[in-house]
Amino acid sequence: AGLKVISNKNVIRNNNIARNNGSGISLSDSQENEIINNTIIENELHGISLSYSSSHNKILKNAVSRNNASGIGLWNRSNDNLLEGNLVSFNKLGISLWNECDQNQLLGNNASQNDFSGIQIYQGMNNTIAENTAVLNNYSGIAIISSMKSRIMANNLSWNKYGINMAGTSGDEVSSNLARSNRMQGIKISDSMNLSLKENQMDQNHEALMITGSESIISYSNNASFNEVGMAFLDSRLCTIKDNEAFQNG
């Protein structure tokens, strides 16, 4: 790593960290650190990596690009971290959370033009993803997999393959997002249950909303307009669809 930290309560600010064989900045079993306004580019692994219960850290206003794995990656019970105002672009994967990283806040980041997804969470709980921009990624703007109780609010998720892609999730809230001009679905939900979809704007996608193999989904006050297909529910049950608008779809 360019900078390896196994310590608490440090400030890492205004550094240029580039072209290291591992990650740019690596935190392991570290708490209450601040990583602020660093430029982190072209590292062989991740731009910024938090692992082994690295919790209560703040990652703010960093420029993280052209790294060969995640721009910012959290692993192994790294909980209660704040990621805010970071520019995370042209990486293999933008911002990723893996293996029981819970109660993190991803706020106001730009996770765009990454090779895979802009933001991805796997096996996490109670994470908040709000007011981020995730556009022009090759796969999903936001992908949530095998997770619970995610809050996905007021994000711009446009010009990806999928705007929001959720699989095997439960208890999530998806509200007030813009999903525009995605090549497949604006919002895709599969094998999930007990989700709330409200006040999302989904336009100019192939399908605005597709729900498959799911149950107890509530979709209300959404707008699905100018798509090839508005809203599609396939092999799903106990769903409620109310007070939506679907105009001028194919």
Side-chain angles (χ1 to χ4, degrees):
L3 175 59
K4 186 170 185 177
V5 178
I6 310 175
S7 303
N8 301 330
K9 298 184 178 179
N10 301 287
V11 178
I12 303 166
R13 183 193 295 268
N14 297 342
N15 300 285
N16 292 318
I17 300 173
R19 304 184 186 94
N20 297 283
N21 287 331
S23 297
I25 298 175
S26 175
L27 271 63
S28 180
D29 190 22
S30 299
Q31 288 79 40
E32 297 184 53
N33 297 284
E34 297 184 3
I35 302 174
I36 306 172
N37 201 35
N38 299 282
T39 299
I40 304 165
I41 60 171
E42 296 179 358
N43 296 284
E44 286 297 320
L45 288 176
H46 315 288
I48 300 172
S49 171
L50 277 65
S51 61
Y52 297 107
S53 302
S54 291
S55 299
H56 300 284
N57 300 287
K58 294 181 180 179
I59 304 175
L60 311 174
K61 298 181 180 179
N62 300 282
V64 187
S65 65
R66 302 187 189 280
N67 299 283
N68 282 337
S70 294
I72 302 174
L74 279 61
W75 282 267
N76 306 113
R77 298 186 176 89
S78 292
N79 302 329
D80 296 291
N81 296 288
L82 172 63
L83 283 63
E84 184 171 8
N86 300 285
L87 174 60
V88 186
S89 59
F90 299 105
N91 305 282
K92 293 296 182 185
L93 179 58
I95 299 171
S96 63
L97 281 63
W98 304 87
N99 305 116
E100 299 180 29
C101 292
D102 302 334
Q103 295 170 205
N104 296 286
Q105 296 185 73
L106 282 59
L107 309 178
N109 301 285
N110 188 332
S112 298
Q113 295 180 280
N114 296 286
D115 289 348
F116 195 60
S117 295
I119 297 170
Q120 178 172 300
I121 297 177
Y122 176 74
Q123 290 185 346
M125 183 183 295
N126 287 322
N127 293 292
T128 298
I129 307 171
E131 299 183 358
N132 300 281
T133 298
V135 303
L136 295 167
N137 297 288
N138 285 341
Y139 197 64
S140 301
I142 295 174
I144 310 293
I145 305 161
S146 302
S147 297
M148 296 176 62
K149 298 182 180 178
S150 302
R151 291 173 296 279
I152 305 170
M153 303 176 294
N155 301 283
N156 179 3
L157 309 161
S158 302
W159 300 292
N160 308 284
K161 184 175 182 180
Y162 306 99
I164 300 173
N165 186 3
M166 307 179 72
T169 74
S170 65
D172 308 287
E173 177 188 342
V174 181
S175 63
S176 302
N177 298 285
L178 173 63
R180 173 173 291 161
S181 299
N182 295 286
R183 298 191 302 278
M184 297 296 290
Q185 288 84 36
I187 300 176
K188 178 184 178 183
I189 297 170
S190 57
D191 303 312
S192 298
M193 61 187 300
N194 297 325
L195 271 65
S196 168
L197 307 171
K198 65 177 182 179
E199 297 176 358
N200 298 287
Q201 176 71 35
M202 302 166 285
D203 58 64
Q204 302 175 61
N205 307 283
H206 190 270
E207 292 98 3
L209 171 65
M210 178 175 285
I211 296 177
T212 61
S214 299
E215 65 177 68
S216 301
I217 309 296
I218 300 175
S219 173
Y220 64 99
S221 300
N222 300 287
N223 185 297
S225 300
F226 304 103
N227 305 279
E228 291 295 320
V229 177
M231 292 179 280
F233 287 70
L234 308 175
D235 192 29
S236 297
R237 59 193 295 270
L238 302 175
C239 297
T240 301
I241 308 162
K242 66 176 184 178
D243 298 328
N244 300 283
E245 296 182 342
F247 296 144
Q248 292 187 269
N249 298 286

